[in-house]
Amino acid sequence: MDVQHTIAKAVDAIGVGVHTGERSRISIRPAPSNFGIQFVRDDFPNTFIRATVEHVSDTTLSTSIRYNDVEIATVEHLMSALWGTKVDNAVVHVRGEEIPILDGSAEGFVNLIEMAGLRKCNARRRFLKLKREVTTTQGDAVASLRPYDGFKVRYTFVKYHRVFNRYPKEIEVDFSVDSYINDVSKARSFGLVEELTQAQSVNRCLGSSLENAVGIDDKGILNPEGLRYKDEFVKHKVLDVIGDLYLLGMPLLAEFEGYKSGHALNNKLIRAVIRTPEAWTIVDSDGNEIYEDGVIYRPLHFRYD
């Protein structure tokens, strides 16, 4: 039976926020059993924000979390890395308003966590296991979770552009056989140069550069080094999905399928899951349902309304 893990020692990272354009610093630190992932801004040291779906405050080109008047932006890449390295419990101290984007992928965060190492906690890992399908839509975009003995992501990236059309737009990643660290974590954010001005007009992508994203114009890839994977675009979508889904507060046993889904629809999906408690249960790594006080465990932080 798997037990929960935290990191063995604190590790720090400094970088620019991709949307604010401001420098920020994070410190990922060990936390006790059943603590989950919680964030705290250094300018509000008494306000801890649990990285769970009910605290998601904005999904415009990234995922932000908020508690009362304290907000932390762009948590999805770090959350993805924490999922990929099997970190259940950690406290993330943030100096600034946004998690640094680093190189636009999750690789930098993975390297930090691997540098720190993991430490076992004295509690069973908990998994949210789907018992029946839950689907949400937004226009013609669709996101679904359905029962699966493991965790699998299927994604279809839809963007009609002469450069995007040269590369794979569909992917299926089964994490019982595929490696998050080798196959997904290095995939970077990306964007069309022609759309950058519009994003910056609404105070997004103010820190975007070829150092932290794949830039694309009508002719091709602007980054001198090219792509890290031939299917880097769709793999970054998978990376984002994982970070957004980890805001359920625990790993999933399910199959995710997305068609054009982004942060907003991913968040809508996990909210729909929580509002449908008959569609899931909580199990340990051996598949045994977890009981507390004689009833099936239900996370106290979930709101079912």
Side-chain angles (χ1 to χ4, degrees):
M1 179 179 65
D2 286 347
V3 297
Q4 297 175 19
H5 287 85
T6 187
I7 63 171
K9 62 180 182 180
V11 285
D12 297 356
I14 300 174
V16 68
V18 69
H19 294 304
T20 62
E22 302 291 333
R23 291 185 66 79
S24 63
R25 176 175 185 154
I26 64 167
S27 178
I28 311 170
R29 303 178 186 178
S33 301
N34 299 321
F35 185 86
I37 310 299
Q38 298 192 38
F39 290 75
V40 57
R41 269 176 42 178
D42 287 354
D43 50 345
F44 294 91
N46 297 318
T47 300
F48 286 73
I49 310 174
R50 182 183 290 272
T52 47
V53 58
E54 70 271 23
H55 291 142
V56 172
S57 56
D58 191 6
T59 53
T60 307
L61 298 181
S62 66
T63 298
S64 301
I65 56 175
R66 176 192 290 269
Y67 184 76
N68 293 333
D69 295 328
V70 183
E71 186 171 57
I72 298 173
T74 317
V75 301
E76 65 273 12
H77 296 177
L78 176 55
M79 291 299 295
S80 187
L82 290 166
W83 178 90
T85 51
K86 298 183 178 181
V87 175
D88 303 281
N89 305 298
V91 56
V92 183
H93 286 257
V94 185
R95 184 176 299 172
E97 299 178 2
E98 185 176 15
I99 303 300
I101 195 63
L102 302 184
D103 71 348
S105 76
E107 183 180 28
F109 299 123
V110 167
N111 290 342
L112 282 173
I113 295 164
E114 290 187 325
M115 184 188 311
L118 298 184
R119 187 178 73 208
K120 291 182 178 180
C121 298
N122 188 27
R124 290 180 290 177
R125 283 200 99 193
R126 296 167 173 169
F127 298 82
L128 191 149
K129 180 177 181 179
L130 261 289
K131 297 166 62 177
R132 68 173 178 82
E133 182 173 335
V134 178
T135 296
T136 54
T137 62
Q138 188 171 343
D140 61 344
V142 183
S144 300
L145 282 166
R146 57 181 63 97
Y148 185 70
D149 188 17
F151 182 63
K152 180 192 292 187
V153 176
R154 300 170 62 189
Y155 193 90
T156 301
F157 170 55
V158 180
K159 186 79 171 181
Y160 299 108
H161 183 275
R162 61 189 300 176
V163 176
F164 288 129
N165 291 345
R166 300 173 192 167
Y167 299 97
K169 293 185 177 182
E170 297 181 347
I171 194 170
E172 178 177 300
V173 187
D174 187 334
F175 289 97
S176 65
V177 293
D178 298 307
S179 166
Y180 172 87
I181 293 174
N182 295 329
D183 300 328
V184 174
S185 73
K186 300 176 179 64
R188 294 163 293 178
S189 301
F190 57 89
L192 296 170
V193 172
E194 64 192 50
E195 296 178 349
L196 184 59
T197 300
Q198 180 182 356
Q200 292 179 338
S201 70
V202 293
N203 293 320
R204 289 290 190 265
C205 302
L206 298 178
S208 184
S209 73
L210 295 183
E211 299 297 318
N212 55 44
V214 178
I216 303 148
D217 65 11
D218 283 340
K219 295 181 180 179
I221 307 299
L222 296 176
N223 305 63
E225 72 277 14
L227 296 180
R228 295 176 176 177
Y229 310 103
K230 183 175 178 60
D231 51 359
E232 185 166 2
F233 303 135
V234 69
K235 279 187 172 176
H236 186 77
K237 292 294 188 179
V238 172
L239 186 156
D240 279 346
V241 163
I242 291 169
D244 288 338
L245 294 183
Y246 203 25
L247 288 164
L248 277 167
M250 65 190 72
L252 271 164
L253 294 176
E255 176 184 351
F256 172 91
E257 184 168 5
Y259 174 84
K260 293 180 66 175
S261 71
H263 299 297
L265 188 54
N266 297 340
N267 183 254
K268 183 179 178 181
L269 175 63
I270 57 177
R271 288 179 184 272
V273 168
I274 291 173
R275 291 195 303 269
T276 317
E278 66 273 15
W280 51 272
T281 189
I282 306 295
V283 300
D284 62 23
S285 59
D286 294 326
N288 301 310
E289 289 187 312
I290 295 176
Y291 285 79
E292 288 190 356
D293 299 324
V295 297
I296 295 176
Y297 169 73
R298 286 289 190 254
L300 292 176
H301 61 270
F302 280 8
R303 292 193 299 217
Y304 300 97
D305 54 353

